[in-house]
Amino acid sequence: MLDYVGLESELSQEERMVRDTAREFVDEKVKPDIADHWIDGTFPMDLVTEMGEMGFYAPNLDGYGLPNLSETAYGLLMQELEAGDSGLRSMASVQGALVMYPIHAFGSDEQKDEWLPDMGRGEKIGCFGLTEPQHGSNPSGMETRAEEADGGYVLNGSKTWITNAPIADVAIVWARDKTSDDNPVRGFLVETDRDGFSVNKITEKLSLRASITGEFGLNDVFVPEENVLPGVSGMKGPLSCLTQARYGIAWGAVGAAMDSFKVARDYATDRDQFGKPIGGFQIQQEKLAEMATQITTAQLLAHRLADLKERGDLRPEQVSMAKRNNVRMARDQSRIAREMLGGNGITADYSPMRHMANLETVYTYEGTHDIHSLILGHDLTGIPAFE
Ligand code: TGC
Ligand code: FAD
């Protein structure tokens, strides 16, 4: 895989081992049939617990049997998973960064004991419910509400575009607490078999097909007081989870681009036209040169982010810059790779077009490209331009 400026030499032995283990897992267990899953619109469910056994969920968290790896190792893992398919990295992002992270950061001791070991092993699956039908880029407009009831809360509302919702055991539901002043947003752990919880699978997606997406409704769903995340109140709860997941996406997108580059370079040196490999023509070489340069620049940004995160100096706006840049880069470069494969490039036999289609989702979720532009614009000028 592409490492043009020798970032390998900066890695610790443990980080190399994590990267190599994940790469081998993806090569042996994912690549052989991920295209079939993508076409069928299924997720390789047999890999859910295997990924848990390998420590792929919340690898940067400590305690509860979790690996407590470096932020670089976490990033490399996301890179390798997304080199397989963005749907695989999404599974790890949602489980680790969007469900286990808030339980770890904001949960009670009982919530941590109940959920983190099982989720770390992949024996329980979680989903993260923030987006609503009428509130996507502006989640603070959410209408889902929680009202105090005897011993707990009653939840009403709906969430859509929720990764893993149809296969989840628990949903983290972000809702406005109607009984407190100012109706702060709070997080609720909602077991998906509770009365009044209903879920539908979203089918006919043309992107991220090897990932299960759904919508769920909450119709007078009762949850006991002990299911409320006690450690956070307000939008910074869900938004801080997004920072963790966006960090992983900034690395993951690079993996999809690296895989596309590898496929395109191999093809260019193998495919003959006009009596020589197409990689011998200047136009194809320029494409490879540009691809390698863009990927390397994104790798450098991801590695720098890891250093800042490790020291506790990483700002959410810096994560926005990397998510915005690296996903756009991967979206553009996977398209160039597809183009270099000619007619074969539009088949599922080669990964670039699958990556390219997946990256349309990655460009959109976890804050659209536009929203990250506005976050950066706000940071650079001090003037918010969201409304
Ligand atoms: P705002 O007033 O700016 O902030 C409210 C409070 O939150 C703090 N904060 C953050 N903290 C941590 N990380 C961040 N990224 C943060 N952004 C803001 C902020 O400091 C403040 O704290 P405090 O203490 O002062 O209260 O909040 P806002 O409601 O105006 O939000 C602004 C905006 C537009 C940037 C935000 O809403 C946004 O990011 N919108 C995009 C929506 C989005 O990303 N949705 C993602 C849904 S989940 C998903 O897509 C999963 S895909 C999973 C997969 O399959 O991989
Ligand atoms: P909208 O917010 O309606 O945006 C539409 C367009 O308008 C976009 O181009 C946007 O950039 C632009 N726009 C919006 N506001 C502005 C503005 N102020 N200025 C300029 N342009 C603007 N959500 C979850 O909560 N959990 C999940 O697990 C999850 N998984 C997902 C999986 C998939 C496959 C997909 C597609 C989405 C998922 N999402 C999830 C939802 C995702 O986060 C939202 O789709 C995303 O935040 C955008 O919201 P929206 O689709 O409502 O678009």
Side-chain angles (χ1 to χ4, degrees), residues 7 55 132 139 155 162 167 192 226 235 247 313 335 356:
L7 288 163
E132 298 185 356
L155 297 173
I162 308 303
I167 54 170
T192 54
E226 56 263 28
M235 278 304 289
Y247 170 83
D313 288 339
R335 185 170 193 207
M356 181 184 124

Side-chain angles (χ1 to χ4, degrees), residues 270-322:
D270 190 49
R271 169 79 172 166
D272 283 359
Q273 285 296 290
F274 299 97
K276 65 175 186 181
I278 55 168
F281 296 104
Q282 290 180 3
I283 290 177
Q284 303 308 318
Q285 290 193 357
E286 195 276 337
K287 288 178 185 175
L288 288 170
E290 184 63 15
M291 227 186 274
T293 307
Q294 295 303 329
I295 292 171
T296 301
T297 311
Q299 286 171 333
L300 288 166
L301 190 50
H303 278 263
R304 175 64 181 159
L305 232 54
D307 291 342
L308 291 170
K309 195 168 192 296
E310 201 64 63
R311 317 204 288 242
D313 288 339
L314 185 61
R315 296 193 301 122
E317 293 80 0
Q318 293 165 330
V319 179
S320 282
M321 179 181 277

